[in-house]
Amino acid sequence: MPLTELDTPTLVLDLDAMERNIQRMAQFAAAHGVQWRPHAKLHKSARIAQRLVAAGASGCCVQKVAEAQAMAAGGVRDIYISNQVLAPQKLQRVAALARQLQQQGGRLALAVDSAQGVAGLAQALQGAGVPQAVEVFIEIDIGQHRAGVGPGAPAVALAQNIVRQRQLRLAGLHAYHGGAQHIEDGSQRAAAMQAAYALVRQTLEQLHAAGFTDLAVTGAGTGTFALEAASGLYTELQPGSFLCMDAHYARVQPVPQSPLPGPTHFEHALFIKTQVLSSCATHAVVDAGHKSHAIDSGLPMVWNQGQPPLYEFRNGGDEHGIVAPRVLHGALHAPVPALGQALWLVPGHCDPTVNLHDAFVGIRGGLEQGVVQEIIPIDARGALW
Amino acid sequence: MPLTELDTPTLVLDLDAMERNIQRMAQFAAAHGVQWRPHAKLHKSARIAQRLVAAGASGCCVQKVAEAQAMAAGGVRDIYISNQVLAPQKLQRVAALARQLQQQGGRLALAVDSAQGVAGLAQALQGAGVPQAVEVFIEIDIGQHRAGVGPGAPAVALAQNIVRQRQLRLAGLHAYHGGAQHIEDGSQRAAAMQAAYALVRQTLEQLHAAGFTDLAVTGAGTGTFALEAASGLYTELQPGSFLCMDAHYARVQPVPQSPLPGPTHFEHALFIKTQVLSSCATHAVVDAGHKSHAIDSGLPMVWNQGQPPLYEFRNGGDEHGIVAPRVLHGALHAPVPALGQALWLVPGHCDPTVNLHDAFVGIRGGLEQGVVQEIIPIDARGALW
């Protein structure tokens, strides 16, 4: 099917661009000798997770037990739930999934940040028939002040707690700074991460001193992954957004005088195709609103083949977007889009945008001349539990 | 099932509160002699649409053809697509749906705001076997500056266009001011609507002068419905949010010195049950982020049984929320919520929140002691086309 026939609004994945992004990340991970377990909370698709594994990723990260179940159902064998799980009904599902994955030669790992979380997980695993101990990573707070135990002594105390549970194996530290990923200024982002690495280093030293060795460190997002890799501390990178590159990451600048790649190392691969439904002298109204794309990290960018946008996107509510020509030197940059015209939007934030849709329309050959290649189910859309 | 066993995060609908809201709106519509066709873009559930019809509503409004199809599949017979439809593949579905509904004794209506839209719809209906002419409402711009033709002469020109198409019947005007619904100050909201009504009145007068009579006027949302009803211009009200009452509408104040009800006439009926996953001295982290609730109209409110909130909700990203005790007179209002504790959130904006979930968990007996009564499918979740 040619793209001109695609109904709107539709979530479109440029498979050619995505594959180039995957190759770039695979080459980076290989060159820096770090393991790579990209986050599936972005794409929520077992098929895409499998393609990342085929390109060298060890498995995938997820945030929710239900996401882990969806990835396992689609054949992914190495899954890390990079989040706390406390509810007994969830922990029962965790135990069943750990057994299933281990029996298939795979593994399930989890993050913990409390003694209560450790005890609950150990209890759920008791008698659940899981062959080997389940890996846990201690989440430490390295600057975001969201979840995580404090660096240093609190992490050591939790490690001592973990190793008393024979159902668990201390795998290492989870040290992710979500807030730093989107600091647009390169120097400020690097500074935030240097402060974070000091906390990771200090915690590792205290853990080593307490006799805990062979610890992995997992973390990193698309905004900072190269800094984590260069830190010498991290053994595993988790970034997911590099796959699609949202409009906000395009504004995250490289670190000055650094040879390391940043988010702009990658291409935009995720788009919303939309259509003009109404048009007047000043603006057009398109059929994509925030039921089609997330707006938490800013509004979408109207795609202009990689050139500076001709149009500004304004919030038109749940079901509409307002598209107006940008003004340059007092003149309109372009005519108001005509009734029926198709436009392509780059979402401000990919993760919650993907979560609004049931499938990616995978295309090849570019947005102008391309064709629909495959429909990729978003298996874990709405998998909140 | 008692609510204590409900997994999190989950979308919970308090059926008792919703039914009281429905009764209040039904009584209001009856007392003011206006038809009532509540918007299903909020609830997206055919079962709820049917209950509204049972309470006196004439049918439902929707924004998308796919929503209309979902409502018709669930037995709703009177459906108004209050939006422009231009794409030929959508218009084919419109024609098939109009035929189906008319054959069942029902009807499908649409909004138009362009000659191109009129021509496309008429063409799609030609030879499609639809027994009667399809009703169209002319959308006029009454102040939101989104879609709609200009009031007055442009609306008359479009009416002349419509009546030349034998497949169409001019039903009246669509005059909705979405932006005014959420003006928190009552006087300012009333002033915006008075300006809007002047445009509706002027357009009606010009249409009457041009020979168009027996025209309905449809519009209104939960922020302004009583003003439209009192204007003497509107024959049909569309509000949907009154059903659930989101946190933002709770901040929309009544019009001073007016006996007419405003949004606070209704009760909060929609909640997200969430659980504390992580806790420290200053705040707790819960498992509901903006993949569980929309944040376009502000963050959720932490429910305190109708009393002023004890906790502030802060954005924690896609998967997390930060809950911190409010500070009053220099002291914390309440202890930091404990690990594992359940909290109830009132979403900032119901419509896009509902669209994130596959079902409502319908409860009775209140949030503290209540039980799960029924699971209500959100049939049109993600129905963007």
Side-chain angles (χ1 to χ4, degrees):
Chain A
M1 186 204 271
L3 300 191
T4 46
E5 289 176 24
L6 257 190
D7 207 349
T8 57
T10 297
L11 187 71
V12 171
L13 184 59
D14 180 338
L15 298 170
D16 301 323
M18 180 184 79
E19 286 166 9
R20 288 191 292 271
N21 288 340
I22 292 175
Q23 283 312 313
R24 286 180 193 130
M25 185 58 88
Q27 285 164 8
F28 177 86
H32 286 77
V34 285
Q35 184 170 292
W36 172 49
R37 189 150 55 168
H39 222 298
K41 73 186 170 77
L42 166 86
H43 56 73
K44 290 176 166 274
S45 158
R47 200 186 294 176
I48 293 179
Q50 293 278 50
R51 288 190 198 174
L52 285 157
V53 169
S58 64
C60 72
C61 296
V62 297
Q63 287 290 83
K64 302 285 185 171
V65 181
E67 287 177 337
Q69 292 177 293
M71 293 304 114
V76 184
R77 295 281 166 264
D78 177 348
I79 301 173
Y80 170 40
I81 303 175
S82 61
N83 199 358
Q84 284 69 44
V85 182
L86 282 190
Q89 58 270 55
K90 287 190 176 76
L91 288 168
Q92 283 179 21
R93 290 188 280 133
V94 163
L97 187 60
R99 183 176 62 235
Q100 174 196 323
L101 287 172
Q102 288 192 13
Q103 284 170 350
Q104 293 167 342
R107 58 180 181 161
L108 180 70
L110 290 95
V112 292
D113 78 347
S114 69
Q116 189 173 325
V118 169
L121 177 58
Q123 190 182 345
L125 292 169
Q126 203 160 21
V130 184
Q132 291 150 33
V134 166
E135 289 178 18
V136 294
F137 289 89
I138 297 172
E139 178 166 0
I140 60 171
D141 178 6
I142 56 169
Q144 186 167 16
H145 308 315
R146 194 168 60 183
V149 292
V156 175
L158 195 57
Q160 284 158 342
N161 209 305
I162 291 165
V163 296
R164 280 198 290 272
Q165 305 285 355
R166 63 177 177 73
Q167 295 87 354
L168 306 182
R169 186 177 84 72
L170 176 61
L173 294 179
H174 174 97
Y176 174 64
H177 194 330
Q181 303 306 315
H182 294 273
I183 299 174
E184 295 180 13
D185 180 273
S187 303
Q188 287 178 23
R189 191 167 72 259
M193 291 317 297
Q194 291 311 322
Y197 303 145
L199 300 174
V200 175
R201 189 173 292 110
Q202 164 204 335
T203 306
L204 276 178
E205 286 167 1
Q206 292 192 32
L207 283 165
H208 293 159
F212 300 103
T213 54
D214 196 21
L215 298 174
V217 180
T218 182
T222 296
T224 66
F225 70 97
L227 302 173
E228 271 91 340
S231 72
L233 296 165
Y234 284 73
T235 57
E236 178 176 275
L237 306 180
Q238 300 178 11
S241 296
F242 75 91
L243 201 70
C244 295
M245 265 295 288
D246 48 45
H248 188 264
Y249 267 132
R251 298 195 291 273
V252 172
Q253 295 304 308
V255 178
Q257 275 97 49
S258 167
L260 294 169
T264 50
H265 190 53
F266 304 101
E267 300 172 47
H268 295 299
L270 190 74
F271 301 88
I272 306 282
K273 184 187 174 192
T274 186
Q275 187 191 34
V276 175
L277 293 187
S278 188
S279 189
C280 66
T282 55
H283 65 265
V285 179
V286 298
D287 62 6
H290 48 254
K291 283 181 182 167
S292 311
H293 53 256
I295 59 172
D296 59 284
S297 300
L299 294 169
M301 172 172 69
V302 182
W303 184 240
N304 184 27
Q305 305 298 326
Q307 301 303 309
L310 299 174
Y311 299 105
E312 181 193 354
F313 189 96
R314 299 182 197 144
N315 190 346
D318 298 0
E319 330 271 0
H320 301 91
I322 313 287
V323 172
R326 293 177 69 200
V327 174
L328 193 72
H329 304 308
L332 292 187
H333 223 56
V336 172
L339 267 185
Q341 187 178 331
L343 293 169
W344 297 83
L345 309 177
V346 180
H349 189 188
C350 289
D351 300 44
T353 297
V354 169
N355 188 50
L356 293 167
H357 297 265
D358 291 307
F360 298 99
V361 175
I363 65 143
R364 291 203 187 275
L367 300 183
E368 293 298 298
Q369 308 288 330
V371 292
V372 174
Q373 173 85 12
E374 63 176 317
I375 305 299
I376 302 178
I378 301 172
D379 312 281
R381 187 216 57 74
L384 292 164
W385 304 279
Chain B
M1 186 203 270
L3 300 190
T4 46
E5 289 176 24
L6 258 191
D7 207 350
T8 57
T10 297
L11 187 71
V12 171
L13 184 59
D14 180 338
L15 298 170
D16 301 323
M18 180 184 80
E19 286 166 9
R20 289 191 292 270
N21 289 340
I22 292 174
Q23 282 313 312
R24 285 179 193 131
M25 185 58 89
Q27 285 164 9
F28 177 86
H32 286 77
V34 286
Q35 185 171 290
W36 171 49
R37 189 149 57 169
H39 222 300
K41 73 187 171 76
L42 166 86
H43 56 74
K44 289 176 167 274
S45 157
R47 199 186 296 177
I48 293 178
Q50 293 277 50
R51 287 190 199 174
L52 286 157
V53 169
S58 64
C60 73
C61 297
V62 298
Q63 287 291 80
K64 302 285 186 170
V65 181
E67 287 177 336
Q69 291 176 293
M71 293 304 113
V76 184
R77 295 282 166 266
D78 177 347
I79 302 173
Y80 170 39
I81 304 175
S82 61
N83 200 357
Q84 284 68 46
V85 182
L86 281 190
Q89 58 269 57
K90 287 190 176 77
L91 288 168
Q92 282 178 21
R93 290 188 280 133
V94 162
L97 187 60
R99 184 177 60 236
Q100 174 196 325
L101 286 171
Q102 288 192 12
Q103 285 170 348
Q104 293 166 341
R107 58 180 181 162
L108 180 70
L110 290 96
V112 292
D113 78 347
S114 69
Q116 189 172 326
V118 169
L121 176 59
Q123 191 182 345
L125 292 169
Q126 202 159 23
V130 184
Q132 291 149 33
V134 166
E135 288 178 16
V136 294
F137 289 88
I138 296 173
E139 179 167 359
I140 60 171
D141 178 6
I142 56 169
Q144 185 166 16
H145 308 316
R146 193 167 63 185
V149 291
V156 174
L158 196 57
Q160 283 157 345
N161 209 304
I162 290 165
V163 297
R164 281 197 290 272
Q165 305 285 355
R166 63 178 177 74
Q167 296 88 354
L168 305 182
R169 186 176 84 72
L170 176 62
L173 294 180
H174 173 97
Y176 174 64
H177 193 330
Q181 303 306 315
H182 295 273
I183 299 175
E184 295 180 14
D185 180 273
S187 303
Q188 287 178 22
R189 191 166 73 259
M193 292 316 297
Q194 292 310 322
Y197 303 145
L199 300 174
V200 174
R201 189 174 292 112
Q202 165 205 333
T203 305
L204 276 178
E205 286 167 1
Q206 293 192 29
L207 283 164
H208 292 157
F212 300 103
T213 55
D214 197 22
L215 299 175
V217 180
T218 183
T222 296
T224 66
F225 70 97
L227 302 173
E228 271 91 340
S231 72
L233 296 165
Y234 284 73
T235 58
E236 179 177 275
L237 306 180
Q238 300 178 10
S241 296
F242 75 91
L243 202 70
C244 295
M245 264 295 288
D246 48 45
H248 188 264
Y249 267 132
R251 296 195 292 274
V252 172
Q253 296 304 308
V255 178
Q257 275 97 48
S258 167
L260 295 170
T264 51
H265 189 52
F266 304 101
E267 300 172 47
H268 294 299
L270 191 74
F271 302 88
I272 305 283
K273 185 188 173 192
T274 186
Q275 188 190 32
V276 175
L277 292 187
S278 187
S279 189
C280 67
T282 55
H283 65 265
V285 179
V286 298
D287 61 6
H290 48 254
K291 282 181 183 167
S292 311
H293 53 256
I295 59 172
D296 59 284
S297 299
L299 294 170
M301 172 172 70
V302 182
W303 184 238
N304 183 27
Q305 305 298 325
Q307 301 302 309
L310 299 174
Y311 300 105
E312 181 194 353
F313 189 96
R314 299 182 197 144
N315 191 346
D318 298 1
E319 330 271 0
H320 302 91
I322 313 287
V323 172
R326 292 176 69 199
V327 174
L328 194 73
H329 305 309
L332 292 187
H333 223 54
V336 172
L339 267 186
Q341 187 177 330
L343 293 169
W344 297 83
L345 309 177
V346 180
H349 190 187
C350 289
D351 300 43
T353 296
V354 169
N355 189 50
L356 294 166
H357 297 266
D358 291 308
F360 299 98
V361 175
I363 66 142
R364 291 203 187 273
L367 300 183
E368 293 298 297
Q369 308 287 330
V371 293
V372 175
Q373 172 85 13
E374 63 175 318
I375 305 299
I376 303 178
I378 301 172
D379 312 280
R381 188 217 56 75
L384 293 164
W385 305 278

